[in-house]
Amino acid sequence: MSTITRTPVNPVAWGQNFLMHQGEVTEGAQRVLRCSGQVDLVEDADAPMGLSAGHEDVRGQFQAILDSLDALLEGAGMTRADIVHLTFYATDIPATLEAYDVYAAWIGETGAMPPQSMIGVASLVDPGLHLEIEMTAAR
């Protein structure tokens, strides 16, 4: 197992309030996990795709997506501390920021502050979805 070093690059400090660095130089990684966007979908035979949103609220969707990210990390033999970038796609940025404490509690215990982007979108693959998260991890 390699040891990855992370050097924060923060020309401004506001990102640290959101448990993120503006940039990070990572060195020593031998394995990289790139994940497709994770959403909170559950089987629903009545839905057009056979799937629909598992939770109606952003907070519930946030937690379900973070659980999916944990499963992906575990399957790759990695942990949350290995996350090097996240992209949040949100249909309602104010509601997502209001539920951001779910993410902060999830990532906060690692001490990692991976760079991230939050992008407002008009819609996601299912009309009941409010959030999608892409993740890159390295070890």
Side-chain angles (χ1 to χ4, degrees):
M1 176 168 71
S2 69
T3 301
I4 186 170
T5 59
R6 304 165 80 113
T7 305
V9 180
N10 290 303
V12 295
W14 65 262
Q16 294 172 35
N17 295 332
F18 293 94
L19 297 178
M20 64 175 263
H21 291 298
Q22 295 297 302
E24 250 183 3
V25 176
T26 56
E27 299 175 271
Q30 295 180 354
R31 297 175 57 235
V32 177
L33 170 66
R34 292 175 186 86
C35 300
S36 62
Q38 299 297 297
V39 293
D40 177 22
L41 285 175
V42 296
E43 290 185 28
D44 179 352
D46 297 326
M49 295 187 318
L51 301 165
S52 64
H55 294 85
E56 293 181 16
D57 64 312
V58 175
R59 184 170 294 281
Q61 289 185 19
F62 230 135
Q63 188 59 61
I65 293 167
L66 296 176
D67 291 344
S68 292
L69 294 178
D70 276 336
L72 286 162
L73 289 163
E74 183 178 338
M78 296 181 174
T79 70
R80 296 173 195 169
D82 297 317
I83 297 170
V84 295
H85 190 268
L86 294 160
T87 302
F88 300 84
Y89 298 94
T91 62
D92 184 341
I93 288 180
T96 302
L97 291 174
E98 190 173 305
Y100 193 83
D101 63 299
V102 174
Y103 167 76
W106 181 81
I107 198 70
E109 60 192 45
T110 69
M113 296 182 8
Q116 56 185 256
S117 301
M118 186 174 294
I119 301 167
V121 297
S123 64
L124 294 166
V125 69
D126 180 89
L129 292 174
H130 307 294
L131 182 64
E132 181 171 332
I133 302 175
E134 290 179 349
M135 173 183 69
T136 302
R139 174 175 276 197

